[in-house]
Amino acid sequence: MNFRTENRPVEPVQRFRRPADVFEALLQSIQGGETHARPTLDLVPGSPFLPFLEIGYALRTCLEKPVKHDYLLERLRPHLNVLIGTLPACIMPMGMLPKLAPLPGFRKLEDIADDEIRDWLIQEGGLIYGEMQRFELENYFDAVKPYLAPGGLMVDLGSGLGKVVMTAALTLPFTRCIGVELLNYRHRLAQERLVRLLTLARQGLEALPEPLTLETPLQLPSGVQANGRHLLDLGARIAFLENDMFKVDVRGASLVFLYSTCFGPLMDAISDKLARELSEGALVTTTTYPIKHPAFKLLEMHAPGTLSWTSVMIYQRVGPQMSVPASESRYLHQPDPDAWDARARAELLAMIGG
Ligand SMILES: C[S@@+](CC[C@H](N)C(=O)[O-])C[C@H]1O[C@@H](n2cnc3c(N)ncnc32)[C@H](O)[C@@H]1O
């Protein structure tokens, strides 16, 4: 397959002369979410993020005190294979931890167990945000298209600002596209984006010289043939849920998308869940990290720099419903501890103005 290697030049849509103009305006409207301003997490009693904030504060306190740097590195060192980057982004000066003082009762790092730090790092890594560029998503939907029958349910686990879900709903004839996002503010931004998308769709459709009916033949951006219902029912075909992906049942999905580049340590748990819930034939795609579970057969593997900047894997659920755990083989990255130590010290020094 000939994949695109960059975005086409953007030509703003001036007039809605045909449905293709509506599609183009809609796709243009959902780009650029990766640069959104990250608010800090809510530090209020009852927030589901309090346990996360407590450990974040404990780590940040050590980061801010040079005499504690050795201790901070000592506590992080056993978990390098689940640490993304050199130091956790969340505790850095521009990170998502609030600047406010810790709540009374928050523990110090000395009172926090190794397992808690490890789980915290896994959650922290998963909260990092990124989006595929438009041409990468075009490549992606071209690659999965041959394996999908018209209709079906598409799910993005960790859907962020909703770009993949909305692109899926525009590009292929899914009956329904659903995004599941843990962070409230990202879920809210996705919903706001959806409202703007649907408003623009309505304006575009109203401006067409020939009104679209439910039965009007319609060519989708992927080249697949559908009918007017695809755009007229757009709002009913898209939904966003604010939830933990592990609490949402994806039974019935025909395609599960995972931008799993930051989910490395979660891949075993995710594949167990998907093996339990998905039916034979369902597709699952991952980025960067493979699925190593006997219930999934690798259909395609696209090396970094072909379909996307990172590797993209397409799997199919094979065999009966099962709860077999993922294979024992570990495939987390194993950074060199000495090289990490040197990088971490250089970052800490730079941060305190050394
Ligand atoms: C790399 S972003 C990808 C966003 C989107 N899928 C895309 O490709 O444009 C991963 C998203 O997963 C979310 N996330 C992390 N852990 C999650 C969980 N347990 N349940 C739901 N969402 C989660 C993060 O908050 C983040 O928005």
Side-chain angles (χ1 to χ4, degrees), residues 33-34 36 49 96 122-132 137 154 156-165 179-187 193 241-248 257-263 266 270 287:
E34 62 278 2
H36 75 275
F49 286 98
M96 292 203 300
I122 292 172
Q123 191 178 1
E124 199 270 340
L127 297 180
I128 291 174
Y129 194 73
E131 287 182 351
M132 278 193 189
L137 284 180
M154 179 270 176
D156 179 2
L157 292 177
S159 49
L161 275 53
K163 175 178 184 172
V164 182
V165 173
V180 181
E181 172 57 45
L182 184 66
L183 287 191
N184 168 272
Y185 91 86
R186 291 183 186 162
H187 167 70
R193 241 182 178 187
L241 309 176
E242 179 190 348
N243 211 332
D244 184 334
M245 66 169 100
F246 292 103
K247 296 192 179 141
V248 174
F257 173 91
L258 290 157
Y259 196 172
S260 51
T261 302
C262 299
F263 295 162
L266 295 173
I270 294 175
T287 58

Side-chain angles (χ1 to χ4, degrees), residues 293-332:
H293 192 294
F296 292 95
K297 177 178 149 200
L298 181 66
L299 298 178
E300 290 185 19
M301 142 78 190
H302 298 279
T306 52
L307 185 158
S308 159
W309 69 272
T310 188
S311 54
V312 176
M313 279 65 67
I314 305 177
Y315 297 90
Q316 190 157 43
R317 176 74 177 82
V318 289
Q321 221 82 7
M322 55 151 66
S323 56
V324 176
S327 72
E328 282 301 299
S329 58
R330 308 303 304 169
Y331 48 93
L332 300 175

Side-chain angles (χ1 to χ4, degrees), residues 251-302:
R251 232 163 277 261
S254 42
L255 170 67
V256 175
F257 173 91
L258 290 157
Y259 196 172
S260 51
T261 302
C262 299
F263 295 162
L266 295 173
M267 293 308 281
D268 286 350
I270 294 175
S271 37
D272 282 355
K273 167 193 168 60
L274 296 177
R276 278 194 308 275
E277 295 173 2
L278 292 177
S279 307
E280 200 169 356
L283 291 190
V284 177
T285 68
T286 67
T287 58
T288 313
Y289 289 98
I291 289 184
K292 296 210 171 171
H293 192 294
F296 292 95
K297 177 178 149 200
L298 181 66
L299 298 178
E300 290 185 19
M301 142 78 190
H302 298 279

Side-chain angles (χ1 to χ4, degrees), residues 54-204:
E54 179 185 37
I55 296 175
Y57 269 86
L59 290 165
R60 192 176 66 186
T61 304
C62 293
L63 181 101
E64 287 166 350
K65 292 188 183 150
V67 292
K68 290 276 194 180
H69 283 177
D70 281 341
Y71 182 60
L72 175 68
L73 299 189
E74 185 190 317
R75 296 303 306 276
L76 292 176
R77 195 171 294 114
H79 314 294
L80 295 190
N81 60 355
V82 296
L83 172 60
I84 294 180
T86 305
L87 293 167
C90 183
I91 62 171
M92 301 303 273
M94 300 303 286
M96 292 203 300
L97 229 55
K99 302 282 172 271
L100 306 170
L103 293 188
F106 270 12
R107 290 171 297 165
K108 296 198 303 248
L109 195 53
E110 286 77 356
D111 301 322
I112 293 171
D114 269 347
D115 284 356
E116 293 179 274
I117 295 180
R118 187 176 183 80
D119 289 345
W120 184 91
L121 286 169
I122 292 172
Q123 191 178 1
E124 199 270 340
L127 297 180
I128 291 174
Y129 194 73
E131 287 182 351
M132 278 193 189
Q133 293 193 52
R134 180 171 170 183
F135 79 91
E136 294 175 300
L137 284 180
E138 286 172 7
N139 290 340
Y140 170 78
F141 286 111
D142 278 349
V144 293
K145 188 169 65 176
Y147 300 106
L148 292 166
L153 168 67
M154 179 270 176
V155 180
D156 179 2
L157 292 177
S159 49
L161 275 53
K163 175 178 184 172
V164 182
V165 173
M166 293 186 249
T167 305
L170 291 168
T171 307
L172 286 175
F174 292 109
T175 305
R176 208 157 155 71
C177 300
I178 295 181
V180 181
E181 172 57 45
L182 184 66
L183 287 191
N184 168 272
Y185 91 86
R186 291 183 186 162
H187 167 70
R188 247 187 316 102
L189 288 177
Q191 283 182 309
E192 287 168 19
R193 241 182 178 187
L194 177 59
V195 169
R196 287 197 300 275
L197 184 87
L198 296 178
T199 306
L200 188 57
R202 206 190 53 243
Q203 289 166 348

